[in-house]
Amino acid sequence: MPPPTADVLIFTRTAGYRHDSIPDGAAALTGLAAELGLTAGVTEDPAAFHGEGLAGRAAVVLLSTTGNVLTDEGRTALEGHLRGGGALLAVHAAANAEPDWPFYGELLGTRFAGHPEIQPGRVLVEDAGHPATAPLPAAWAWTDEWYEFTSAPRASGVRVLARADESSYRGGTHGADHPLVWSRRIDRGRFLFTALGHAPEAYRDPAFRAHLSGALAWLTGAAQEGAAPAPPPPAG
């Protein structure tokens, strides 16, 4: 388990596919937390998720976690952490975590459905007023797995921050409205999901690191969002 004084708990346990990028992601997030004046601890031990273990945490990160990785006690503790004013960052394959936990599905607003082959494409920033997307260009050239989802996340009430430009790669099925990054408030807490971050080299990319840093800054209260989000793209 990480030191009990760590501000950010980075959880990397997998019960399904395990991304090779997890060590790189954990190192990057630890460094980015330090730049914000926060300590970070990395663990795969589900025992870290209990009431006292999450008390005082500025944020929890689920880094490409897959499958059922929390105990019932851990689920209760994480939900309580969020509702009580905590924060959760879910990165990439965390969209495929906790498939049997209804609360997590409601939090995400959808579920992972698959992806085409890894290929270059474009990320379109929809909300440049949010710290997680403010550092990014309006149309950002990026290579990733371009996650597909079982339903439209926007319909669940999330604040969409960036979406995929399906005309820039092969295999997209959502059309003009294909969210990739979104946030939401839940009671007193904050949640942010980014579908990006498949490859180890992503965590050395300055733009992606700025994206993660902005996400952490918003989640921990070090930065606030600015302008309201733009309207969704037209259908069709």
Side-chain angles (χ1 to χ4, degrees):
M1 291 175 60
T5 55
D7 302 304
V8 179
L9 176 65
I10 303 170
F11 191 54
T12 60
R13 187 183 184 201
T14 54
Y17 182 83
R18 186 171 183 86
H19 278 74
D20 292 339
S21 59
I22 287 176
D24 300 82
L29 287 160
T30 298
L32 294 170
E35 291 173 8
L36 294 171
L38 302 169
T39 59
V42 182
T43 187
E44 296 196 3
D45 186 356
F49 288 80
H50 56 85
E52 292 181 2
L54 297 184
R57 303 281 188 188
V60 173
V61 181
L62 301 182
L63 177 58
S64 281
T65 48
T66 54
N68 289 316
V69 291
L70 295 175
T71 63
D72 288 343
E73 180 186 10
R75 290 175 174 181
T76 299
L78 182 55
E79 181 176 351
H81 169 75
L82 279 171
R83 293 192 184 279
L88 177 64
L89 172 61
V91 178
H92 195 54
N96 201 22
E98 294 299 310
D100 300 330
W101 187 18
F103 170 78
Y104 188 67
E106 293 168 5
L107 187 66
L108 276 172
T110 189
R111 290 289 189 175
F112 171 77
H115 59 79
E117 70 273 16
I118 300 167
Q119 59 190 297
R122 280 191 301 271
V123 176
L124 302 178
V125 171
E126 183 169 315
D127 186 349
H130 194 285
T133 40
L136 303 177
W140 177 31
W142 186 246
T143 298
D144 220 299
E145 290 183 317
W146 307 104
Y147 271 13
E148 299 274 315
F149 303 101
T150 57
S151 60
R154 196 187 303 269
S156 74
V158 301
R159 180 175 181 173
V160 176
L161 308 181
R163 64 184 188 270
D165 177 0
E166 289 194 355
S167 71
S168 67
Y169 68 94
R170 302 176 305 277
T173 65
H174 286 290
D177 190 17
H178 184 159
L180 291 173
V181 184
W182 58 83
S183 67
R184 77 185 321 152
R185 307 268 185 150
I186 173 167
D187 293 344
R188 293 164 51 205
R190 297 182 177 195
F191 171 75
L192 190 144
F193 169 71
T194 178
L196 309 174
H198 168 74
E201 56 267 25
Y203 297 91
R204 297 186 288 275
D205 181 271
F208 186 61
R209 289 174 64 91
H211 169 54
L212 292 177
S213 179
L216 281 175
W218 177 74
L219 288 163
T220 60
Q224 301 298 319
E225 65 259 46

